[in-house]
Amino acid sequence: MTTETTIEADPELPVIRMTRDFAATPGQLLRAHTDPELFARWVGPDGMTTRIDQWDARTGGSWRYAASGDGGEEYWFHGCFHEVRPDRIVQTFTFEGEPDGVALETLWFEDLGDGRTRLRAQSLVDSFASRDAWLRSGMETGVNEGYAKLERMIADGAA
């Protein structure tokens, strides 16, 4: 089963909303977002690898990782876990290439029954210009390729 992620820009706020359904339980998706080894295996576009520098997925914890491409380019990201609970994660997200930009992200794991879960994510950025830059950055490819890897991991029993 292949599912695309719905990505929408809010016309009134500098917010990006994403929705995707998974053949997984909420607990599987929570684990895939909080276990650093699992997270590093699926996050980001194909052709990039993720190296975790710091990971403390609990309320009040923090994280930092690098995404690296085949050409040796490296992109660092960091943030704080504001709240981690079974049905949602609230965290900050900063691309270190633009250290003044901080997004507030909320992820909800909505149980649809029969082993299915809807992941809803919302990112609030500091301006419409930042939001539009995110949307033009190719994030759709990275999000869809990353979530496709996550679906394969779940189907293979790895997550």
Side-chain angles (χ1 to χ4, degrees):
M1 179 185 79
T2 299
T3 306
E4 291 295 312
T5 306
T6 301
I7 300 175
E8 300 173 321
D10 189 302
E12 305 292 326
L13 299 168
V15 167
I16 299 169
R17 293 188 180 92
M18 298 186 293
T19 305
R20 186 170 179 131
D21 292 351
F22 287 88
T25 65
Q28 286 175 300
L29 289 186
L30 175 68
R31 185 166 171 255
H33 284 82
T34 56
D35 181 306
E37 292 179 18
L38 294 177
F39 183 81
R41 290 176 54 191
W42 67 263
V43 73
D46 296 342
M48 300 288 285
T49 58
T50 299
R51 180 169 41 92
I52 303 292
D53 177 57
Q54 174 188 341
W55 195 267
D56 183 11
R58 61 181 173 86
T59 297
S62 61
W63 56 269
R64 184 172 187 251
Y65 68 84
S68 305
D70 294 338
E73 68 275 19
E74 198 168 63
Y75 307 96
W76 284 90
F77 305 89
H78 72 267
C80 297
F81 291 103
H82 178 76
E83 181 178 47
V84 177
R85 62 184 209 201
D87 64 333
R88 78 175 196 168
I89 296 172
V90 181
Q91 63 184 8
T92 59
F93 178 93
T94 295
F95 167 50
E96 294 184 5
E98 294 184 26
D100 290 341
V102 180
L104 177 63
E105 298 183 337
T106 305
L107 295 84
W108 293 271
F109 307 108
E110 181 181 336
D111 191 348
L112 301 176
D114 296 326
R116 300 198 46 79
T117 300
R118 177 164 295 144
L119 171 63
R120 292 185 300 115
Q122 174 177 286
S123 298
L124 171 65
V125 299
D126 62 350
S127 69
F128 287 99
S130 292
R131 180 199 68 190
D132 295 343
W134 278 38
L135 293 170
R136 287 190 310 267
S137 71
M139 70 172 278
E140 183 175 349
T141 300
V143 166
N144 277 311
E145 289 179 356
Y147 284 156
K149 286 184 277 185
L150 176 55
E151 285 180 338
R152 288 191 298 272
M153 287 174 53
I154 291 167
D156 294 343

